[in-house]
Amino acid sequence: MSMGPSLRARVQDWLRDDPDPATRAALENLLEQAEAGAAAAREEIADAFCADLQFGTAGLRGAMAPGPNRMNLAVVSRAARGLADHLRLDVGLERPRVVIGYDARHGSHDFARRSAEIMTAAGCRVQLLERFGPTPLVAFAVRHLEADAGIVVTASHNPPADNGYKVYLGGRAAEPEGRGVQIVPPSDAQIAARISAVGPVRDIPVAESGVELLGDQLREDYLAAITALPDPQSPREVRIVHTAMHGVGTETALAALDRAGFTDVHTVAKQADPDPDFPTVAFPNPEEPGAIDLALDLARTLEADVVIAHDPDADRCAAAVHDAHRGAWRMLTGDELGVLLGDHLVRRHGYRGVLARSIVSSRWLASVAERSGMEAAATLTGFKWITRAPGIVYGYEEAIGYCVQPEVVRDKDGLSAALMVAEMAAAAKAEGTTLIGRLDELAAEHGLFSTSQLSIRVEDLSLIGAMMERLRGTPPATLLSSPVTTNQDLSQGSVETTGLPPTEGVLLLSEDDTRVVVRPSGTEPKLKCYLEVVSQMPVGATASQIGEVRARAEERLDALKDELRLVLGAD
């Protein structure tokens, strides 16, 4: 026997209960290989059955394959029934209203349809989008339709083999500031407990009718809401290159830009149509090296003003421009675009209220808020926290997520953000400058806040804990020769996050305002270090001087990375 009897029994139980013939066949094939002595097959089975895929504040996400630790129809069926039971039994709702959407990945439509049928049978009123669409459309629908919950079947920017299950609460199931926002504790634990209590998949009732379909009217309502934001009197002369990264954003992005008056828009043809295999990119994330190379090539050919890139479910937005300081095109960092958007919304659109960011994002936005007589908020990482900031009018995180209309979509929305990127680029062009030029102006006013990241990937997860322990036990006395004045253990609660739950991490701040936040990644086997240095611009600095300040800041960030590698023992 090549596998233990306990594992083999779990595999056989799964085979009897799996409603999907494709994953049953895949598991039977793996089982044959394992019993024939294939070590890789044994390892895959062992990992797929070592635990249940965990339902947390990001819902579910994982590789599509058979087994309880993978994404498949059986796991999704249990999740759908567990969410329905949470709404009915924990929240106490009569006929909860649920909106369900999905992207164009392999399996997404089947997962969404089965979820709709199961939740309908459980007594929910379910409205299923009749075709795939961007994640912000569902976040919008939860608020717009006053739904009690929303589900999006998507793995966002994960590799092609993955899929996921994102959950929003709203209506009667959430407090006002949490309507249309991703779940947070204790809801995640309550839903997870209900999922665990679901019996065999074959016993879950599945409705044969009663699922309502949401057609194009929802998209029209969404487009009307986000295209109301751009100022109709602002310039529109700007040449844009757009890529949807093989995702579902092209149709809605182009429609929104066109309706807002941005007509000189050119798509990257090879990446415009949804393709679940993502053939032109190694990793479908605009932040990854090489991901927007095709867009940059097109931008150079067309002499475009800006590149706008969406991740596959279009909830995140990136922008690239020509940087005169470097003499080349480059992507704006998430922090650079974050402060540009915040400043633009305050100056051009008169936003008044709270400007929110995650604690690992740049403090540049807080400086903009202070100079504008507004309040700044720093929250725990993730939009489930950012958009819960009381009084929020704008929020962002450094991982290219932006919320520019929290009363419309209370989550990151790459489509409404794209409209603001287009408006900013057109306004800058009309003023004889660029988005880089606008950043230089902000640097002259507030100082230059330069950010970077150091990610330390590990194979042994215990190394992350060891590095965090080393950092806490022997923290650095200086950062770039400047004395450390603040050493905040975020797991004990943070001054920056008063009133919010503690989080695993350490924040260091030096006398010269250099800042480091070190925390484990929530989705990958990485320790992530978020770095920020602040530089003052000379009064009346020339373009050459500005370039020199930027170059020195990048050198300081590189030196800071080297220091941290030594402190963490990562060399």
Side-chain angles (χ1 to χ4, degrees):
M1 180 73 68
S2 57
M3 293 193 305
S6 175
L7 176 56
R8 198 178 198 291
R10 293 200 300 276
V11 171
Q12 293 298 336
D13 286 344
W14 182 276
L15 287 169
R16 286 189 290 270
D17 199 37
D18 190 347
D20 187 345
T23 46
R24 286 201 307 271
L27 184 54
E28 287 169 347
N29 182 51
L30 271 176
L31 188 58
E32 283 184 19
Q33 294 178 47
E35 293 185 331
R42 288 198 304 270
E43 291 172 4
E44 168 61 20
I45 291 174
D47 189 64
F49 284 82
C50 69
D52 291 340
L53 191 63
Q54 290 299 301
F55 187 96
T57 52
L60 296 168
R61 193 173 293 185
M64 289 182 288
N69 197 29
R70 299 288 187 267
M71 280 294 295
N72 49 63
L73 201 61
V75 166
V76 166
S77 296
R78 294 170 62 83
R81 181 63 202 221
L83 177 58
D85 289 345
H86 169 71
L87 295 171
R88 293 184 309 106
L89 303 176
D90 296 328
V91 185
L93 301 182
E94 286 286 334
R95 203 174 182 225
R97 184 174 185 173
V98 182
V99 176
I100 301 178
Y102 53 97
D103 66 12
R105 285 177 179 262
H106 294 297
S108 289
H109 177 263
D110 291 341
F111 292 169
R113 184 76 203 184
R114 179 57 64 95
S115 296
E117 293 166 348
I118 287 173
M119 298 190 81
T120 297
C124 299
R125 178 190 175 187
V126 179
Q127 295 175 292
L128 174 68
L129 271 67
E130 64 180 6
R131 57 192 179 98
F132 55 67
T135 288
L137 187 59
V138 174
F140 167 77
V142 172
R143 293 177 66 84
H144 183 63
L145 300 176
E146 298 183 348
D148 299 305
I151 298 169
V152 189
V153 181
T154 179
S156 189
H157 53 277
N158 273 40
D162 290 1
N163 214 324
Y165 205 77
K166 184 179 292 186
V167 175
Y168 300 90
L169 293 180
R172 298 168 292 170
E175 70 284 0
E177 64 271 20
R179 288 173 185 156
V181 183
Q182 294 180 59
I183 56 174
V184 295
S187 297
D188 56 343
Q190 292 171 345
I191 295 169
R194 289 295 177 184
I195 293 171
S196 296
V198 175
V201 176
R202 61 180 175 270
D203 293 338
I204 299 175
V206 179
E208 296 183 359
S209 62
V211 175
E212 302 175 33
L213 294 181
L214 284 173
D216 285 340
Q217 185 57 52
L218 177 65
R219 296 170 189 269
E220 289 297 314
D221 292 347
Y222 170 71
L223 284 169
I226 66 171
T227 55
L229 178 57
D231 179 358
Q233 303 304 316
S234 65
R236 292 293 188 270
E237 295 300 317
V238 63
R239 180 163 294 170
I240 300 167
V241 166
H242 176 262
T243 177
M245 209 67 64
H246 297 294
V248 296
T250 298
E251 178 186 356
T252 311
L254 295 187
L257 289 165
D258 183 70
R259 294 184 192 193
F262 300 100
T263 56
D264 193 356
V265 182
H266 307 264
T267 61
V268 178
K270 290 182 178 180
Q271 297 177 335
D273 295 330
D275 188 330
D277 295 318
F278 304 101
T280 70
V281 289
F283 201 97
N285 179 353
E287 292 181 293
E288 289 293 315
I292 65 165
D293 282 358
L294 290 177
L296 294 179
D297 288 344
L298 183 58
R300 294 185 191 101
T301 299
L302 296 176
E303 298 183 343
D305 299 298
V306 65
V307 169
I308 296 175
H310 287 117
D311 69 338
D313 68 331
D315 65 346
R316 304 200 307 162
C317 177
V321 293
H322 186 268
D323 186 340
H325 298 303
R326 302 185 184 186
W329 278 79
R330 73 169 177 91
M331 184 183 290
L332 297 173
T333 69
D335 285 317
E336 288 174 329
L337 188 52
V339 73
L340 281 170
L341 286 167
D343 173 72
H344 181 76
L345 292 169
V346 171
R347 285 189 307 109
R348 297 298 184 106
H349 290 272
Y351 274 31
R352 307 301 298 174
V354 174
L355 304 183
R357 60 176 175 87
S358 66
I359 58 170
V360 299
S361 300
S362 174
R363 293 162 294 164
W364 209 346
L365 184 66
S367 181
V368 169
E370 182 181 354
R371 290 286 185 96
S372 304
M374 297 168 61
E375 183 179 346
T379 76
L380 298 184
T381 55
F383 266 83
K384 59 185 178 284
W385 299 117
I386 293 169
T387 52
R388 281 183 163 83
I392 182 175
V393 293
Y394 166 70
Y396 94 96
E397 64 181 359
E398 46 71 41
I400 60 173
Y402 310 97
C403 176
V404 301
Q405 290 177 294
E407 295 311 309
V408 174
V409 175
R410 213 169 186 87
D411 194 16
K412 55 183 176 290
D413 180 358
L415 297 160
S416 56
L419 292 175
M420 289 296 93
V421 172
E423 186 177 68
M424 287 194 302
K429 185 176 183 179
E431 295 167 2
T433 186
T434 66
L435 294 184
I436 296 295
R438 184 65 195 130
L439 281 171
D440 290 344
E441 293 171 12
L442 287 170
E445 183 178 357
H446 302 275
L448 176 65
F449 290 72
S450 304
T451 60
S452 188
Q453 284 189 34
L454 169 65
S455 292
I456 303 170
R457 182 178 288 273
V458 301
E459 293 185 4
D460 181 356
L461 289 177
S462 68
L463 294 176
I464 292 178
M467 285 187 283
M468 291 300 298
E469 183 176 347
R470 177 170 176 159
L471 178 60
R472 288 188 171 101
T474 55
T478 63
L479 296 173
L480 298 175
S481 302
S482 178
V484 171
T485 56
T486 299
N487 181 350
Q488 177 72 53
D489 186 346
L490 300 180
S491 68
Q492 303 302 311
S494 166
V495 172
E496 288 199 34
T497 56
T498 301
L500 293 175
T503 187
E504 175 59 12
V506 170
L507 183 150
L508 303 171
L509 185 66
S510 73
E511 196 172 83
D512 70 354
D513 222 15
T514 297
R515 189 197 65 172
V516 171
V517 180
V518 182
R519 62 183 290 271
S521 169
T523 56
E524 299 178 273
K526 288 181 179 180
L527 186 68
K528 302 188 77 171
C529 309
Y530 302 84
L531 320 176
E532 183 170 49
V533 298
V534 183
S535 311
Q536 297 305 315
M537 287 289 181
V539 176
T542 64
S544 176
Q545 289 174 315
I546 292 171
E548 290 173 1
V549 172
R550 288 186 173 277
R552 285 198 300 271
E554 290 179 11
E555 291 171 0
R556 294 180 69 206
L557 287 170
D558 288 340
L560 188 55
K561 290 177 187 178
D562 292 339
E563 286 188 9
L564 283 172
R565 289 189 184 97
L566 289 174
V567 168
L568 296 168
D571 279 349

